[in-house]
Amino acid sequence: MKLSNRTIASLINRNENKGTKVSIYIPTHPKSNGPNVQEDKTRFKNAIQEIKNHTDKHDETITNILYELNDILKQTEFWFHQSAGLAVIADNKGVETIKLPIEVTESTKVGSEFVLSPLILAQSMNRSYYVLDINLSNPRLFIADTTTMTRIEPLDLKSMKEMMESDYESNDQFHTPRGNRKSTPMYHGHGGSEDHKWEEEQIYLQYVAKNMQSHLRLPDMPLILSGDKQRVAQFMPMLTHKNITSKKLYGNHQHLNETQLHDLTYNIILDSVQKEIKESIKQRRVSRKLIKGWTDISSALNRKAVEKLYLPMLRNTIDSVKSGYKSRYLIDANSQIASLEKWVKDTINQGGKIQAIPVTQSGEVLPRAEIRF
């Protein structure tokens, strides 16, 4: 299953069914190799063993779940394609595996209901976004979230060289120096000067921007620009897309595939989410619709007044399994899981939303809530 609000709603509905339910959360390696895969499988094997040690061996549901979990353990290809975390949710209806955009603390729970708060907290950090790789030979546009990236096809864009050669053939804007029809076409009136090269590039970037704009169909979705720093600066004013991230991915990345590009943009979008959350909390504080602390929020939940619950379960960690990532985020919900489940369930039942927020530098872990009245 893909992490989404629809998936979470489906699992909440399945919670109503009677029977034993299993919830497993483990951190995994996005950059998979032999040792990483073995470590992830060992974590999962430990979760299986914990279920065996603390459940009734005669429970038919548990027997069936363990059979399916062991089958997953044997699927080598599955373990070579992981994200930052993995949730495995199981009951008598089957076993669901869900890749998570954020690392999670290890947790294995067996009970009458699924443990869904880590899943919901992870989804609160999940954002879809565009990546536009700006270069002169193969401009590319991708759509991604914090677990996957897909190239948008077809764009049918010419390279700068192809466009100049095409324009020469149609006697438009560019020309080739006399006596050498195979040499690089040049802009009319400027010869081979630096000004001429700059104008050629400007015309090509305008061509790219015009074509890309028609594919940027979701104006509120964040857009990360990738490419040479000067070229990105030239290109930005040509776009009308209103949500371009402040952080860019500078450098030549046209040789990278989707997975490699996703690795580089992952933290840019998470940082953008953090900035968005901080601004939201600031606005609510000014409007005096923000309350703080367990006691006041419990009271607001009792009167069904919580619009959005901000839970400080997100922290930076230097011992993350996500080797190679500059920023390391971890949802650390295991120690308060019983309380969290109740709060999250009550908030969702009254139509509210959940948002993971960072633990402050001082270590403050008090939750906040936006109230309706």
Side-chain angles (χ1 to χ4, degrees):
M1 297 181 84
K2 183 177 174 63
L3 179 61
S4 66
N5 290 328
R6 181 177 294 181
T7 294
I8 291 171
S10 171
L11 293 174
I12 290 173
N13 288 335
R14 269 171 68 169
N15 248 343
E16 302 299 319
N17 299 331
K18 294 181 179 180
T20 307
K21 295 177 175 61
V22 172
S23 308
I24 300 171
Y25 294 91
I26 59 170
T28 49
H29 289 82
K31 297 182 178 180
S32 297
N33 53 39
N36 288 348
V37 166
Q38 190 56 47
E39 184 176 335
D40 294 346
K41 291 177 73 174
T42 298
R43 292 174 188 269
F44 192 63
K45 191 182 297 183
N46 291 341
I48 293 174
Q49 189 60 49
E50 189 172 342
I51 295 169
K52 290 180 180 178
N53 292 343
H54 296 92
T55 55
D56 182 357
K57 296 179 181 179
H58 302 291
D59 185 326
E60 185 178 351
T61 298
I62 288 294
T63 301
N64 292 335
I65 288 173
L66 287 171
Y67 178 83
E68 292 196 54
L69 295 181
N70 278 296
D71 184 59
I72 291 170
L73 186 62
K74 297 173 186 176
Q75 296 172 17
T76 303
E77 191 67 18
F78 170 81
W79 293 102
F80 267 98
H81 297 89
Q82 290 303 309
S83 185
L86 176 67
V88 180
I89 307 296
D91 62 0
N92 56 14
K93 299 291 184 181
V95 176
E96 313 294 349
T97 59
I98 306 165
K99 295 178 184 179
L100 305 178
I102 305 289
E103 184 183 342
V104 289
T105 46
E106 290 184 69
S107 172
T108 303
K109 305 291 182 185
V110 179
S112 59
E113 292 187 345
F114 296 129
V115 172
L116 297 178
S117 53
L119 198 65
I120 294 168
L121 288 166
Q123 170 62 6
S124 76
M125 297 299 296
N126 198 17
R127 295 292 188 280
S128 295
Y129 62 100
Y130 293 116
V131 177
L132 204 169
D133 181 29
I134 308 159
N135 60 75
L136 303 181
S137 59
N138 184 27
R140 300 177 296 168
L141 181 63
F142 302 86
I143 189 167
D145 57 26
T146 36
T147 58
T148 59
M149 176 176 284
T150 305
R151 185 170 178 177
I152 295 177
E153 299 279 12
L155 294 179
D156 296 326
L157 286 175
K158 300 175 184 177
S159 68
M160 182 171 168
K161 181 180 178 182
E162 289 170 338
M163 191 183 85
M164 288 190 294
E165 289 173 347
S166 173
D167 284 345
Y168 164 73
E169 295 296 335
S170 62
N171 197 28
D172 183 26
Q173 288 195 320
F174 296 100
H175 71 88
T176 302
R178 292 178 183 176
N180 186 3
R181 297 182 66 86
K182 293 184 178 180
S183 63
T184 303
M186 296 189 300
Y187 191 75
H188 274 297
H190 294 275
S193 68
E194 288 300 315
D195 284 347
H196 145 252
K197 292 177 182 177
W198 184 86
E199 286 200 49
E200 281 182 345
E201 189 167 313
Q202 283 287 104
I203 291 170
Y204 181 68
L205 292 179
Q206 288 170 358
Y207 158 77
V208 172
K210 181 179 178 181
N211 282 275
M212 289 291 187
Q213 195 64 56
S214 63
H215 293 275
L216 296 169
R217 297 191 175 101
L218 300 172
D220 294 323
M221 188 180 290
L223 168 64
I224 299 173
L225 297 180
S226 165
D228 173 80
K229 187 172 184 179
Q230 183 176 350
R231 191 170 295 137
V232 168
Q234 287 176 247
F235 189 79
M236 270 189 65
M238 301 175 185
L239 283 177
T240 59
H241 193 78
K242 66 180 183 180
N243 191 7
I244 299 175
T245 60
S246 57
K247 287 189 177 181
K248 313 296 187 294
L249 186 63
Y250 293 127
N252 179 11
H253 303 110
Q254 64 189 89
H255 61 287
L256 300 181
N257 61 28
E258 282 91 337
T259 301
Q260 294 167 322
L261 201 57
H262 186 266
D263 287 346
L264 293 175
T265 56
Y266 176 89
N267 284 291
I268 292 177
I269 206 65
L270 286 186
D271 289 342
S272 176
V273 172
Q274 290 300 307
K275 184 178 179 182
E276 170 194 317
I277 293 168
K278 288 178 182 178
E279 184 60 31
S280 176
I281 290 176
K282 181 180 177 181
Q283 291 175 357
R284 301 306 183 273
R285 188 181 293 122
V286 170
S287 66
R288 301 195 176 188
K289 287 188 175 181
L290 198 73
I291 59 175
K292 184 177 178 180
W294 302 100
T295 303
D296 287 348
I297 293 176
S298 293
S299 175
L301 283 169
N302 288 336
R303 66 176 193 271
K304 302 189 186 313
V306 173
E307 183 71 31
K308 194 168 189 177
L309 183 60
Y310 298 90
L311 293 169
M313 296 293 141
L314 189 69
R315 66 178 173 85
N316 290 320
T317 174
I318 60 173
D319 59 353
S320 168
V321 300
K322 301 191 299 296
S323 58
Y325 279 48
K326 291 182 180 179
S327 299
R328 295 176 174 133
Y329 294 96
L330 171 70
I331 290 179
D332 190 5
N334 199 23
S335 60
Q336 305 178 59
I337 202 72
S339 300
L340 276 177
E341 280 296 303
K342 183 180 185 310
W343 279 40
V344 168
K345 183 178 179 180
D346 288 350
T347 301
I348 289 175
N349 284 343
Q350 58 190 253
K353 296 180 180 180
I354 307 295
Q355 178 63 62
I357 60 174
V359 174
T360 64
Q361 291 182 349
S362 62
E364 181 184 336
V365 293
L366 286 177
R368 296 165 174 79
E370 177 187 342
I371 56 174
R372 298 186 178 101
F373 49 86

